[in-house]
Amino acid sequence: MSILLTGGAGYIGSHTAIELLENNDLVVIDDFSNSKPEVLDAIKEITNKEVKFYEGDYSDKGFLEKVFNENEIDAVINFAGFKAVGESVKEPLKYYDNNIGGCIHLLEVMQKHNVKKFIFSSSATVYGKPDVVPITEESKVGGTTNPYGTTKLFIERILEDLYKSDNTWDICILRYFNPVGSHPSGLIGEDPNGIPNNLMPYIVRVAAGQLEQLTVFGNDYNTHDGTGVRDYIHVVDLAKGHVKALEKLNKEDSGLFIYNLGTGTGYSVLDMINAFEKATNKKVNYVIGPRREGDIDECYSDPTKANNELNWKAELTIEDMCRDSWNYIEKKNSK
Ligand code: UFG
């Protein structure tokens, strides 16, 4: 198959590219707004395979037309989109334009070229503050607490309407929980610009001495140790989930499917610090600070549906996630 990955040089896109390259041809587009060209070299080094690459903005219809005209695309996985929660609160229009507007342009060009297999990177954020955990795909969605989350929710609705209007589409919505870790080669991984917002990249920088200490955002949550609980999933497991989702779309006549991609286990912030210190022998200095606005007590998945219907299960452990996150940064810093 020939698959188009938008945002394919990004954190999740690049890991998925590696898994897909085993059996598929890839066309990757990226504008490097949150990724680097070196990632493409690393993908080649890891897989020994070439991807066809176009630099450009996935929301630019003229650019997309060129890509679709020059390639026989069978399916599209949309990783492109902005993802910084805090920035989305400050610049909502930028998020609605790029994430929702961009995705609509992509779907329009796909429709025009009669390419109707689509996998969308959604997020557990669509569940808002869950009433109960673990969260199943039938749990209530809505109540998102920031524009980033709302873009994911709206795009899901748009995809549902699109499928209702034309059921020859094959659509898979993947709701990611908290992706962490990196490819075991240490050649690609997560390295956000500026001060990280997310827990694991922050822990890694404290361990590397690049940041002084981690602030644990609140220890008065209704959890086993008072700190926030999340479902951290190794990015390689997450990437493999896309391969399985694609198999599902190829098997079925057509349909719109939604899956949680998580491990089903929740770890607190303090659990993560301990696991990281144990896996890497590095110290993570931290202080307890106030809660971060918009954060919730607990969010973890029930991944049964993906286990059963996709024949997919997250296999890597919390130690693997910590070790591989560290391995990537250590390798990078030693260059
Ligand atoms: N945390 C800290 N200190 C930090 C950063 C995070 O204590 O410096 C805590 C948070 O309070 C939370 C946990 O670590 O309890 C995880 O926080 P992250 O920012 O890593 O992840 P979130 O669960 O808040 O958000 C992530 C993604 C979003 C996505 C959301 C829901 O960043 O894109 O999961 O799936 F929307």
Side-chain angles (χ1 to χ4, degrees):
M1 271 188 106
S2 178
I3 304 157
L4 172 66
L5 305 189
T6 68
Y11 175 47
I12 300 171
S14 58
H15 286 84
T16 304
I18 289 169
E19 300 304 320
L20 287 169
L21 274 167
E22 263 185 46
N23 290 309
N24 301 282
D25 294 326
L26 296 189
V27 178
V28 167
I29 65 176
D30 206 299
D31 65 357
F32 299 125
S33 58
N34 194 24
S35 62
K36 302 212 168 70
E38 297 87 86
V39 171
L40 299 168
D41 302 329
I43 293 174
K44 190 173 171 197
E45 192 177 335
I46 293 166
T47 61
N48 240 326
K49 294 195 175 146
E50 295 279 351
V51 302
K52 191 163 177 191
F53 179 73
Y54 291 83
E55 182 172 351
D57 177 354
Y58 91 117
S59 67
D60 175 347
K61 277 176 100 172
F63 168 65
L64 286 177
E65 279 290 348
K66 177 177 157 64
V67 174
F68 277 80
N69 283 331
E70 291 180 5
N71 299 280
E72 281 287 324
I73 307 283
D74 299 305
V76 176
I77 308 184
N78 183 18
F79 295 105
F82 297 144
K83 61 171 189 178
V85 170
E87 184 186 51
S88 80
V89 175
K90 291 196 191 95
E91 296 181 73
L93 298 180
K94 175 174 161 183
Y95 273 68
Y96 288 121
D97 181 38
N98 182 63
N99 291 13
I100 301 180
C103 188
I104 291 173
H105 289 170
L106 175 62
L107 293 165
E108 282 172 341
V109 175
M110 286 178 68
Q111 193 167 44
K112 183 170 163 204
H113 290 261
N114 203 29
V115 178
K116 291 187 175 174
K117 287 187 196 304
F118 186 68
I119 298 178
F120 177 62
S121 297
S122 190
S123 164
T125 196
V126 300
Y127 296 112
K129 186 176 173 5
D131 295 335
V132 274
V133 283
I135 301 170
T136 72
E137 291 79 356
E138 276 65 51
S139 299
K140 185 170 73 16
V141 296
T144 46
T145 51
N146 56 75
Y148 157 75
T150 308
T151 67
K152 296 290 177 190
L153 187 69
F154 284 179
I155 294 167
E156 289 200 4
R157 286 297 303 273
I158 289 166
L159 292 171
E160 283 163 18
D161 288 340
L162 178 64
Y163 181 72
K164 264 186 224 155
S165 75
D166 173 0
N167 66 10
T168 64
W169 279 86
D170 274 315
I171 296 171
C172 192
I173 292 169
L174 299 176
R175 292 179 179 154
Y176 308 155
F177 281 69
N178 289 56
V180 295
S182 66
H183 190 267
S185 65
L187 292 173
I188 57 169
E190 189 179 22
D191 190 20
N193 294 330
I195 296 185
N197 299 305
N198 296 116
L199 180 64
M200 185 60 99
Y202 208 109
I203 287 182
V204 166
R205 291 209 191 166
V206 172
Q210 292 166 299
L211 289 170
E212 199 188 331
Q213 62 186 11
L214 170 78
T215 301
V216 175
F217 295 143
N219 66 349
D220 57 353
Y221 284 105
N222 186 19
T223 62
H224 65 271
D225 60 18
T227 65
V229 165
R230 298 290 183 274
D231 186 340
Y232 298 93
I233 174 170
H234 197 295
V235 66
V236 171
D237 276 330
L238 190 75
K240 289 180 176 166
H242 295 75
V243 178
K244 296 290 191 178
L246 199 64
E247 283 172 17
K248 170 91 179 168
L249 293 188
N250 283 331
K251 246 189 341 235
E252 305 279 327
D253 282 346
S254 75
L256 181 143
F257 309 95
I258 301 179
Y259 297 106
N260 284 340
L261 294 186
T263 64
T265 304
Y267 289 101
S268 72
V269 178
L270 296 181
D271 291 336
M272 292 303 283
I273 294 171
N274 291 334
F276 187 90
E277 290 185 335
K278 202 163 143 230
T280 64
N281 266 325
K282 290 278 155 190
K283 181 98 191 81
V284 180
N285 298 318
Y286 70 89
V287 286
I288 306 289
R291 290 182 175 203
R292 179 172 67 179
E293 205 188 315
D295 273 356
I296 55 177
D297 305 63
E298 288 194 289
C299 172
Y300 59 93
S301 69
D302 178 343
T304 310
K305 191 176 172 205
N307 297 167
N308 292 342
E309 293 185 18
L310 296 182
N311 190 24
W312 169 90
K313 200 173 189 332
E315 276 162 1
L316 297 166
T317 64
I318 197 77
E319 285 74 29
D320 297 322
M321 301 178 208
C322 294
R323 187 202 55 232
D324 291 341
S325 294
W326 175 244
N327 184 27
Y328 169 65
I329 288 298
E330 202 180 29
K331 203 161 184 161
K332 192 160 180 272
N333 290 346
S334 70
K335 274 183 196 157

